[in-house]
Amino acid sequence: MARRATSGGSAGGGTEPGAATGSGASGSGTTGAVPERLLAEATRLFAEHGYDRTSVQEIVEAAGVTKGALYHYFGSKDDLLHEIYGRVLRLQTERLDAIATRPTPVTERIAEAAADVVVTSIQNLDDTKIFFRSMHQLSPEKQKAVRAERRRYHETFRALVEEGQRDGRFRPEPRPDLVVDFFFGSVHHLGTWYHADGPLTAEQVAAEFSDLLLHSLLRP
Amino acid sequence: MARRATSGGSAGGGTEPGAATGSGASGSGTTGAVPERLLAEATRLFAEHGYDRTSVQEIVEAAGVTKGALYHYFGSKDDLLHEIYGRVLRLQTERLDAIATRPTPVTERIAEAAADVVVTSIQNLDDTKIFFRSMHQLSPEKQKAVRAERRRYHETFRALVEEGQRDGRFRPEPRPDLVVDFFFGSVHHLGTWYHADGPLTAEQVAAEFSDLLLHSLLRP
Amino acid sequence: MARRATSGGSAGGGTEPGAATGSGASGSGTTGAVPERLLAEATRLFAEHGYDRTSVQEIVEAAGVTKGALYHYFGSKDDLLHEIYGRVLRLQTERLDAIATRPTPVTERIAEAAADVVVTSIQNLDDTKIFFRSMHQLSPEKQKAVRAERRRYHETFRALVEEGQRDGRFRPEPRPDLVVDFFFGSVHHLGTWYHADGPLTAEQVAAEFSDLLLHSLLRP
Amino acid sequence: MARRATSGGSAGGGTEPGAATGSGASGSGTTGAVPERLLAEATRLFAEHGYDRTSVQEIVEAAGVTKGALYHYFGSKDDLLHEIYGRVLRLQTERLDAIATRPTPVTERIAEAAADVVVTSIQNLDDTKIFFRSMHQLSPEKQKAVRAERRRYHETFRALVEEGQRDGRFRPEPRPDLVVDFFFGSVHHLGTWYHADGPLTAEQVAAEFSDLLLHSLLRP
DNA sequence: TATGAATGAGCTTTCATTCAT
DNA sequence: AATGAATGAAAGCTCATTCAT
């Protein structure tokens, strides 16, 4: 069934980290390679109307191609969603891994990691919206793959919390796994209220969220 | 056009506050009044498969009635979702209002409010799941109504944060509105990870979340 | 199936000749006997939206009663339509019979009959619209009954044409049956263009149509 | 939204003037291009049972395709009806324009035009039936378009009446617009009584109708 | 005399996907 | 690499009618 690029492999070119797909940056038509254009328009439309409410017809029209072209590059509509997930997961995992292994105090690393995930979530706000709304629309096996990847990410973050507790900078009471779920709930919900044209920059939100997390953890 | 009980009015009987519709309570068939049964099954199915993935046919089969019966009580599938929202909004608003007006120190009130919303969110976990996943599938006007009600709720909570900052118990730095978005992000995401048969009771999660919030706010 | 008043018998009271149901005269609600109100609203709605596009629900709402009430008086939606037909057929047949048997020259009688059917068609314009649009939506047997009644009417009119030809006042060439179809086509189409608030009164149209018919028949 | 061939453009091939779609010509299946087959079967069925009583399912079964195919070519059931109207309007407008501009006496032109519209109405009797029965089932905007086209046609005919009155061949009394409504009422009603297997040919009816019209107009 | 909950069949339309070209 | 006609299943919704009360 699936013809070409599916899960795991990028479809026809890499998505360079930093390539924002967030609100505003959507080239609306006929520039660039076909698979990229399809992914970009799909991301925009999924975020705007939801996965089930977006028809394949709408995607190909927005990308300026025909259905045959889409099915040439992607095995199914589902594959498109999976690829979007893959892109954002790869990006965030890479960044967290880089931050977590720095030779700085754990307080600093966790503050940076928290701020960074907020900034990149806002820069890719469409992906963020899709992420927490549409996971259950993936096929079960793909859901499993995404969840596994996500768990790895959470575990890396949790390890930082544990490290902070072990070396005495953080209060010992909070359960690290609950801290992670607590914080990433906040992050995933950015998509429901943050607007690029609102009063706050991504960096301001990042600083505040990071500060709230730190204060909830630090010994008084 | 709209036939009968829709938003605002309860469909054929009151939903007593505290009546859990959460994961475990799926009465699978033919007991009770028809509108309640429809609402209960719809809630369960929407939480399980998502709004768009749940067909009207599935709902009526689960409730043991025919489509005609559903459309006798609800004007549309959309109305069903709206009624579910109305139910949970009413419940949570009532409880928060009761807590916010108690004659106790603001620290205590905010801790209680935070813990309470966690407990009721877990008790009605299906509603919680539906809430943050399916809002964008409501018709625009109904979305507006729900958002307005939600804003009222958030403002009450924010007022508690502001009160705590004014009387000097809370740090002055955090922006109250960001605090609210931060905390309710966490609450709304309970549905993505909490399981009734997991290691934590609702009260344990509530205590931890409440504690994390308090520590993020209190002066060191 | 049919409970009470169906074809042939009037439903719960006679419709006095002359009681206009045409546009404008529709009492919109809760005055008068129930069956009359139902018939009046049905007439108005059938004329406005067509038979198939008018739901039983709309009719009972307009008449201010419930479905049960409608089905108490009429056996089916079809019966309503049939009753409307019956009403207008009875009215027009009576009037034509009265005119046709007058002791005046045939030229005068045919001119009067032509003018009269135009006037009463305009006075009951809703019935006229329904008549030629919705006949095929009647059940076959009722269609047959209506057509038989209509044929009787046409034959009376045709007899006048034949009489005029026999006594030499009319040209002998036109086939009397074609003359009847020719003229009643015009009459039945009044509903598609005549408006009460237009520039012409019913009497003016009647005079002109009658004049056109006469001139098409008279020897030069 | 609207997919392909709709109003104005013919769907996949021209309808040659003269291609009869009338009662006898029901090709019942699988010859010819798909859009034409759909249009032909729809015409037959709409004429036979009415627009609302004909289901899309019946149309596609008669044409030997699936619903998807129908909606590939036509945006809606409504579009099908509109296309049928377009076809007959185009045909009749062309023919009237050709006759109206001939260099012959107005009496002759009007007689020919009258006879011609009768003949083509009978040749396309299904379209004629549909025309006057189903106009109000078109969407409002499409109704408007059809009416505008129809008005143009009527105005051309009315101009002939006026010309005849101006040059003294016709009686001055009849109002030209009423003459047009009078005559086309007769024409549109052909579908209610004419049968191809009856005693009269199309040409005989045409001659009689034309003659009746002329005599109603000519000075005695 | 009238209610109104409930039925069950049917409606138009949408959609992801396939495949010959 | 890409087209676009066609499929087939399912979706949300409407409606005339029935019947216990």
Side-chain angles (χ1 to χ4, degrees):
Chain A
M1 297 267 142
R3 314 261 185 96
R4 283 281 174 97
T6 57
S7 58
S10 61
T15 320
E16 307 78 61
T21 58
S23 2
S26 60
S28 53
T30 46
T31 19
V34 169
E36 277 70 29
R37 250 156 54 209
L38 284 166
L39 268 182
E41 295 300 327
T43 304
R44 190 172 58 78
L45 289 164
F46 290 167
E48 201 168 334
H49 307 121
Y51 177 79
D52 278 327
R53 302 274 169 115
T54 303
S55 71
V56 168
Q57 187 61 38
E58 284 170 323
I59 297 169
V60 299
E61 270 170 21
V65 298
T66 60
K67 284 197 228 182
L70 187 150
Y71 281 94
H72 181 72
Y73 291 108
F74 299 92
S76 65
K77 189 185 171 189
D78 193 83
D79 267 13
L80 270 174
L81 183 56
H82 189 131
E83 185 55 29
I84 291 168
Y85 275 54
R87 204 175 50 187
V88 61
L89 283 170
R90 256 173 271 135
L91 171 65
Q92 297 199 332
T93 302
E94 278 170 23
R95 299 183 69 93
L96 176 59
D97 286 348
I99 292 170
T101 54
R102 284 190 198 151
T104 53
V106 68
T107 343
E108 201 171 305
R109 273 177 285 144
I110 216 168
E112 281 194 61
D116 188 75
V117 74
V118 169
V119 168
T120 60
S121 289
I122 287 180
Q123 278 172 347
N124 301 280
L125 206 57
D126 280 352
D127 298 85
T128 306
K129 284 181 196 170
I130 294 170
F131 206 99
F132 79 91
R133 261 190 208 156
S134 307
M135 177 98 75
H136 64 294
Q137 282 149 340
L138 272 179
S139 73
E141 54 202 9
K142 283 180 188 142
Q143 256 184 75
K144 213 173 147 188
V146 169
R147 259 196 262 269
E149 179 75 14
R150 197 68 196 156
R151 198 172 314 119
R152 260 209 58 225
Y153 183 92
H154 277 189
E155 273 162 20
T156 306
F157 203 96
R158 192 188 63 196
L160 291 176
V161 176
E162 286 167 345
E163 186 183 341
Q165 289 182 322
R166 268 201 313 279
D167 73 8
R169 291 180 224 248
F170 292 166
R171 299 187 292 126
E173 294 87 3
R175 302 173 56 116
D177 51 351
L178 270 187
V179 171
V180 171
D181 286 324
F182 184 77
F183 183 66
F184 283 97
S186 305
V187 172
H188 286 158
H189 253 276
L190 286 165
T192 66
W193 62 269
Y194 184 85
H195 287 100
D197 50 354
L200 297 167
T201 64
E203 285 74 19
Q204 285 176 300
V205 178
E208 287 245 23
F209 270 37
S210 182
D211 174 78
L212 287 168
L213 175 64
L214 261 285
H215 275 87
S216 72
L217 292 176
L218 287 170
R219 288 183 182 279
Chain B
M1 295 268 142
R3 313 283 181 81
R4 276 298 163 97
T6 56
S7 57
S10 61
T15 319
E16 307 79 59
T21 59
S23 338
S26 63
S28 53
T30 47
T31 17
V34 170
E36 278 71 28
R37 250 156 55 208
L38 285 166
L39 227 34
E41 296 300 326
T43 302
R44 189 172 59 79
L45 289 164
F46 289 167
E48 201 167 333
H49 307 121
Y51 177 79
D52 277 330
R53 298 280 167 113
T54 303
S55 72
V56 169
Q57 189 60 42
E58 286 170 323
I59 297 170
V60 299
E61 271 169 20
V65 297
T66 60
K67 279 195 250 191
L70 187 153
Y71 283 96
H72 183 69
Y73 290 106
F74 300 92
S76 64
K77 188 185 170 191
D78 194 84
D79 265 14
L80 225 34
L81 183 55
H82 188 77
E83 184 58 27
I84 291 168
Y85 278 18
R87 207 174 46 185
V88 60
L89 283 170
R90 256 173 271 137
L91 171 65
Q92 296 199 333
T93 301
E94 277 170 24
R95 298 184 68 92
L96 176 58
D97 286 348
I99 291 170
T101 54
R102 285 192 196 149
T104 52
V106 67
T107 340
E108 199 171 309
R109 274 177 283 146
I110 216 167
E112 282 195 60
D116 187 76
V117 73
V118 170
V119 168
T120 62
S121 290
I122 287 179
Q123 279 172 346
N124 301 280
L125 206 57
D126 280 350
D127 299 83
T128 305
K129 284 181 197 169
I130 294 169
F131 207 98
F132 79 91
R133 257 192 211 156
S134 306
M135 175 96 78
H136 67 294
Q137 281 149 340
L138 269 181
S139 75
E141 54 203 6
K142 282 182 190 138
Q143 256 184 74
K144 213 174 144 188
V146 169
R147 261 197 260 268
E149 182 73 15
R150 197 67 196 156
R151 197 172 314 120
R152 260 208 59 226
Y153 183 91
H154 278 188
E155 272 161 20
T156 304
F157 202 95
R158 194 188 62 197
L160 291 177
V161 177
E162 286 167 346
E163 187 183 340
Q165 290 183 320
R166 265 202 313 281
D167 73 8
R169 292 181 224 247
F170 290 166
R171 298 188 294 126
E173 294 88 2
R175 301 176 56 119
D177 51 350
L178 271 187
V179 171
V180 171
D181 286 324
F182 184 79
F183 182 66
F184 283 98
S186 305
V187 172
H188 287 157
H189 258 275
L190 285 166
T192 65
W193 62 268
Y194 184 85
H195 287 100
D197 49 355
L200 297 167
T201 65
E203 285 71 19
Q204 284 176 300
V205 178
E208 287 246 24
F209 270 36
S210 181
D211 173 77
L212 287 168
L213 175 65
L214 259 286
H215 275 85
S216 72
L217 291 176
L218 287 171
R219 287 183 183 279
Chain C
M1 298 260 144
R3 315 263 185 97
R4 281 282 176 95
T6 56
S7 58
S10 61
T15 320
E16 307 78 59
T21 58
S23 6
S26 61
S28 54
T30 47
T31 19
V34 168
E36 278 70 28
R37 250 156 54 208
L38 284 166
L39 268 183
E41 296 301 326
T43 303
R44 189 173 58 78
L45 289 164
F46 289 168
E48 201 167 334
H49 308 121
Y51 177 79
D52 278 327
R53 303 273 168 116
T54 303
S55 71
V56 169
Q57 188 59 38
E58 285 171 322
I59 297 170
V60 299
E61 271 169 21
V65 298
T66 59
K67 283 199 230 185
L70 187 150
Y71 281 94
H72 181 73
Y73 290 108
F74 299 92
S76 66
K77 188 185 173 189
D78 193 83
D79 267 13
L80 271 175
L81 183 57
H82 189 113
E83 185 57 28
I84 292 168
Y85 276 54
R87 205 175 48 186
V88 60
L89 283 170
R90 256 174 271 135
L91 171 64
Q92 296 199 333
T93 302
E94 278 170 21
R95 298 183 70 92
L96 177 59
D97 286 350
I99 291 170
T101 54
R102 283 190 197 150
T104 51
V106 67
T107 342
E108 200 171 307
R109 273 177 284 145
I110 215 166
E112 281 194 61
D116 188 74
V117 73
V118 169
V119 168
T120 61
S121 290
I122 287 179
Q123 280 172 345
N124 301 279
L125 206 58
D126 280 351
D127 299 86
T128 305
K129 284 181 196 170
I130 295 169
F131 206 99
F132 79 92
R133 262 191 206 155
S134 306
M135 176 97 74
H136 64 294
Q137 281 148 340
L138 271 179
S139 73
E141 54 202 8
K142 283 182 189 139
Q143 258 184 74
K144 213 173 144 188
V146 169
R147 259 197 262 271
E149 179 75 14
R150 196 68 196 156
R151 197 171 316 118
R152 260 209 56 226
Y153 182 92
H154 278 187
E155 273 162 19
T156 305
F157 202 95
R158 193 187 63 195
L160 291 177
V161 176
E162 286 167 344
E163 185 183 342
Q165 290 181 321
R166 267 200 313 278
D167 72 8
R169 289 180 226 247
F170 292 166
R171 298 187 293 127
E173 294 87 2
R175 301 173 56 115
D177 50 351
L178 271 187
V179 171
V180 171
D181 287 323
F182 183 79
F183 182 67
F184 283 96
S186 305
V187 172
H188 286 159
H189 254 275
L190 285 165
T192 65
W193 62 268
Y194 184 85
H195 287 100
D197 50 355
L200 297 167
T201 64
E203 286 73 19
Q204 285 175 299
V205 178
E208 286 244 23
F209 270 36
S210 182
D211 173 78
L212 286 168
L213 176 64
L214 260 285
H215 274 85
S216 72
L217 292 176
L218 287 170
R219 286 182 183 279
Chain D
M1 294 267 141
R3 313 284 181 80
R4 277 298 164 96
T6 56
S7 57
S10 60
T15 319
E16 307 79 60
T21 59
S23 336
S26 62
S28 52
T30 47
T31 16
V34 169
E36 277 70 29
R37 250 155 57 208
L38 284 165
L39 226 34
E41 295 301 325
T43 303
R44 189 173 59 79
L45 289 163
F46 289 167
E48 200 167 334
H49 308 122
Y51 177 79
D52 278 328
R53 298 281 168 110
T54 303
S55 72
V56 169
Q57 189 59 43
E58 286 170 323
I59 297 169
V60 300
E61 272 169 19
V65 297
T66 60
K67 281 195 246 193
L70 187 153
Y71 283 95
H72 183 70
Y73 291 106
F74 300 92
S76 64
K77 188 185 172 190
D78 193 84
D79 265 14
L80 225 33
L81 183 55
H82 188 77
E83 185 57 27
I84 292 169
Y85 276 17
R87 207 175 48 187
V88 60
L89 283 171
R90 256 173 271 137
L91 171 65
Q92 297 199 332
T93 301
E94 276 170 26
R95 299 183 69 91
L96 177 58
D97 286 348
I99 292 171
T101 53
R102 285 190 195 150
T104 53
V106 66
T107 341
E108 200 171 306
R109 274 177 283 145
I110 215 167
E112 283 194 59
D116 187 77
V117 74
V118 169
V119 169
T120 62
S121 291
I122 287 179
Q123 279 172 345
N124 301 280
L125 206 57
D126 281 350
D127 298 84
T128 305
K129 284 182 196 168
I130 294 169
F131 206 100
F132 79 91
R133 257 193 211 155
S134 305
M135 176 97 77
H136 67 294
Q137 281 149 338
L138 268 181
S139 76
E141 55 204 5
K142 282 182 190 138
Q143 255 183 76
K144 214 174 144 186
V146 169
R147 261 197 259 270
E149 181 74 14
R150 197 67 196 155
R151 199 172 313 121
R152 260 208 60 225
Y153 182 91
H154 279 188
E155 273 161 22
T156 305
F157 203 94
R158 194 188 61 196
L160 290 177
V161 177
E162 286 166 346
E163 188 184 339
Q165 290 182 320
R166 265 202 314 279
D167 74 7
R169 289 180 226 248
F170 292 167
R171 298 187 295 126
E173 293 87 2
R175 301 175 56 118
D177 50 351
L178 271 187
V179 171
V180 171
D181 287 323
F182 183 80
F183 182 66
F184 283 97
S186 306
V187 172
H188 287 156
H189 258 275
L190 285 165
T192 64
W193 63 267
Y194 184 85
H195 288 98
D197 49 356
L200 297 168
T201 65
E203 285 71 21
Q204 284 175 301
V205 179
E208 286 245 24
F209 269 37
S210 182
D211 173 78
L212 286 168
L213 175 64
L214 260 285
H215 275 85
S216 72
L217 291 175
L218 286 170
R219 286 182 184 278

